[in-house]
Amino acid sequence: MTRTKMALAGAATALIGGAAAYYLHERNTERPDYDTLREEGRFSLRAYPELTTASVVLTGTRDKALRRGFQRLADYIFARDRAGEEIAMTAPVLQEEGGSPETWRVRFVMPKDRAADGLPTPATGVAIDTIPARRVTAVRFAGSGKSADLRRNEDALRRWMEKEGLQPVGRFEYAFYNSPFVPPFLRRNEVIVPVAG
């Protein structure tokens, strides 16, 4: 084996090892609790408790809004745009249409032990609010979370809901559990939507 091939093999091994370590770290990141009420393969019906979130509303394409929203919310939780202590990162990052074309809401769920009234005051443009307790349907899938993948899985979730007799009562949301450092085949993504009942 030539030196170049050895160097490339070593770099690939280090990259894969680093990605795997990052993936394992993210698997230990706090996630909201929920009760699974029904499950069939990748599809499920869940009951979530009330969740406290930090959110921003941005305009632009979905991808750009997600990147910009993630950065602004990361600045808030890691105390880069305010004084005070850091807030632990959780998963997933949530994104939904904001009610008008090219408008998107991006949310970080706050840790379970942080009530809204005990959170640091955010910078202008970042809102602290709550998502009431609710039932949602979800479809889980791997990949990079491109818009085409989200649309395809949204359609699949609609078909499953119709088969199960479940009615959506809100906008479809996208949930991203992993950072771009995790290889797409290891990432967890979901399309979710609140349902009646």
Side-chain angles (χ1 to χ4, degrees):
M1 183 179 284
T2 66
R3 285 185 182 174
T4 302
K5 287 182 179 177
M6 289 176 64
L8 288 173
T13 301
L15 183 62
I16 291 168
Y22 207 85
Y23 171 73
L24 291 174
H25 167 73
E26 288 188 1
R27 286 195 59 157
N28 294 324
T29 300
E30 181 182 313
R31 299 173 181 182
D33 293 327
Y34 60 83
D35 293 322
T36 301
L37 307 176
R38 197 180 311 173
E39 192 165 36
E40 182 183 345
R42 300 183 306 123
F43 302 94
S44 60
L45 173 64
R46 304 170 181 168
Y48 280 90
E50 180 180 271
L51 300 174
T52 300
T53 71
S55 67
V56 292
V57 176
L58 299 165
T59 58
T61 65
R62 189 195 64 77
D63 289 345
K64 287 181 180 176
L66 181 61
R67 284 193 298 274
R68 288 170 44 222
F70 183 95
Q71 187 60 57
R72 289 186 63 186
L73 294 171
D75 287 346
Y76 170 65
I77 69 167
F78 296 129
R80 293 193 289 246
D81 64 359
R82 60 173 175 80
E85 84 280 16
E86 293 186 9
I87 301 166
M89 182 73 188
T90 67
V93 176
L94 299 172
Q95 183 181 34
E96 65 180 303
E97 288 187 278
S100 59
E102 297 288 295
T103 302
W104 300 93
R105 181 185 305 278
V106 181
R107 297 181 188 266
F108 280 8
V109 178
M110 296 292 98
K112 290 189 264 301
D113 63 352
R114 302 299 303 261
D117 59 3
L119 289 167
T121 301
T124 302
V126 177
I128 303 299
D129 50 23
T130 57
I131 300 174
R134 61 186 183 161
R135 294 191 332 153
V136 307
T137 57
V139 58
R140 186 180 63 252
F141 61 100
S144 57
K146 293 181 180 177
S147 293
D149 295 332
L150 296 170
R151 284 192 298 274
R152 186 169 54 253
N153 281 281
E154 186 175 317
D155 289 343
L157 184 57
R158 285 180 196 276
R159 290 191 298 272
W160 186 76
M161 291 169 62
E162 185 175 347
K163 178 177 75 76
E164 297 293 311
L166 298 166
Q167 296 296 319
V169 293
R171 293 188 181 97
F172 281 80
E173 301 170 32
Y174 309 129
F176 306 102
Y177 285 80
N178 306 105
S179 76
F181 298 111
V182 174
F185 70 92
L186 289 175
R187 293 183 202 168
R188 175 180 173 182
N189 309 298
E190 294 176 341
V191 175
I192 65 175
V193 66
V195 294

